[in-house]
Amino acid sequence: MYTQPVEPVLVVIAHGSRDPRHAATVHALVRRVRSLRPGLRVETGFLDFNIPSVQGVLESLAAEGVRDVVALPLLLTRAFHAKADIPAVLRDAPRRLNIRQAEVLGPSPLLLSALERRLYEAGLTPADKSSTGVVLASAGSTDPEAIAVIAEIAREWRHTGWCAVRPAFASASLPRTEDAVRELRELGCERVAVAPYVLAPGFLPDRIARGAERADVLADVLGPAPEVARLLLRRYAEAAVRVPLSRRAAVSA
């Protein structure tokens, strides 16, 4: 007989991709989360392209007798997927599940720490900061809120000691990575580094990499960085104390 754990099950919701590196990176991140919290049950579901699907994971949990779930979007900004796709999937979840939807990961100081980790792993040192311009390269979005958040992160990151930080986007918005690299060259930065503000490899991260051909340094995607894993657990803890989605209407009535 299944015994419901004291803590809600964490269901990490990833976008999914035809690129096999995407799912492999998501699973590596989830393994790191499990290593930080061995007693916490963590499952992974994908919105598209990969299995298991989010709906399939939720149905399996309900069939086991699980009641409480925290659904955590593996997203860096509150764009279309966070505002529309994921809420729609959760509305169709089995009624017996009490689901709490966690906030997206960004913005967070932990993500800035992860970005710097990746830059240092790519060859930079803290002593290089004042002479290095950084391109904060995100996937891009048509959502003005998401674009504004990326611009604000770039401004905030600049104040930590970098020569300059410029946002760039692989799709939907401008400037492109190569344009931001050129701007930093013209600004007079001694070296230019590109920091992909993306979680896993795929089509758009590859476009970022191509745009970084004239940069001096290209960092890796955030992936299973320790800071990202800790941030997932922080968002989980924040959501676990909220009223479940299935009860909010009754509470507000």
Side-chain angles (χ1 to χ4, degrees), residues 28-85:
L29 173 58
V30 169
R31 285 195 297 271
R32 174 152 269 169
V33 171
R34 290 187 181 122
S35 73
L36 294 175
R37 286 285 304 278
L40 177 64
R41 181 172 178 181
V42 186
E43 301 291 344
T44 308
F46 295 90
L47 290 173
D48 207 352
F49 301 116
N50 302 106
I51 54 173
S53 67
V54 178
Q55 189 67 23
V57 169
L58 295 175
E59 289 174 355
S60 294
L61 290 173
E64 287 182 35
V66 171
R67 294 298 303 275
D68 295 308
V69 170
V70 168
L72 195 158
L74 199 59
L75 300 169
L76 296 175
T77 59
R78 272 184 49 78
F80 181 79
H81 293 302
K83 294 177 179 179
D85 285 352

Side-chain angles (χ1 to χ4, degrees), residues 9-249:
V9 174
L10 170 57
V11 176
V12 176
I13 301 178
H15 182 277
S17 171
R18 293 186 178 89
D19 189 322
R21 297 173 298 167
H22 176 91
T25 302
V26 170
H27 290 311
L29 173 58
V30 169
R31 285 195 297 271
R32 174 152 269 169
V33 171
R34 290 187 181 122
S35 73
L36 294 175
R37 286 285 304 278
L40 177 64
R41 181 172 178 181
V42 186
E43 301 291 344
T44 308
F46 295 90
L47 290 173
D48 207 352
F49 301 116
N50 302 106
I51 54 173
S53 67
V54 178
Q55 189 67 23
V57 169
L58 295 175
E59 289 174 355
S60 294
L61 290 173
E64 287 182 35
V66 171
R67 294 298 303 275
D68 295 308
V69 170
V70 168
L72 195 158
L74 199 59
L75 300 169
L76 296 175
T77 59
R78 272 184 49 78
F80 181 79
H81 293 302
K83 294 177 179 179
D85 285 352
I86 291 175
V89 170
L90 297 183
R91 282 195 298 269
D92 290 337
R95 290 180 176 271
R96 67 172 295 140
L97 292 177
N98 296 320
I99 300 177
R100 299 162 174 85
Q101 182 177 338
E103 295 295 335
V104 298
L105 299 180
S108 168
L110 283 170
L111 290 175
L112 289 181
S113 296
L115 286 165
E116 296 205 353
R117 170 188 292 276
R118 293 302 190 223
L119 286 170
Y120 297 151
E121 290 171 350
L124 294 179
T125 71
D128 296 324
K129 292 184 75 168
S130 63
S131 57
T132 302
V134 178
V135 177
L136 179 67
S138 75
S141 174
T142 57
D143 189 305
E145 178 186 350
I147 297 304
V149 166
I150 299 299
E152 179 57 31
I153 292 171
R155 285 192 291 270
E156 179 183 341
W157 202 15
R158 163 68 181 84
H159 294 311
T160 66
W162 296 100
C163 172
V165 180
R166 295 289 186 271
F169 308 94
S171 67
S173 307
L174 296 174
R176 294 287 185 256
T177 301
E178 54 269 33
D179 300 326
V181 169
R182 183 171 56 252
E183 180 185 349
L184 290 172
R185 292 277 188 219
E186 294 171 352
L187 191 63
C189 296
E190 185 175 317
R191 67 184 63 78
V192 176
V194 174
Y197 191 62
V198 293
L199 287 165
F203 176 76
L204 293 178
D206 283 350
R207 181 179 288 178
I208 290 172
R210 290 194 297 272
E213 288 179 352
R214 295 186 180 276
D216 302 292
V217 173
L218 170 63
D220 199 358
V221 298
L222 294 171
E227 296 85 357
V228 179
R230 296 206 305 272
L231 182 55
L232 261 70
L233 289 173
R234 178 176 296 181
R235 294 289 185 255
Y236 167 83
E238 293 166 351
V241 298
R242 295 181 188 148
V243 176
L245 297 174
S246 59
R247 295 179 185 167
R248 286 180 185 171

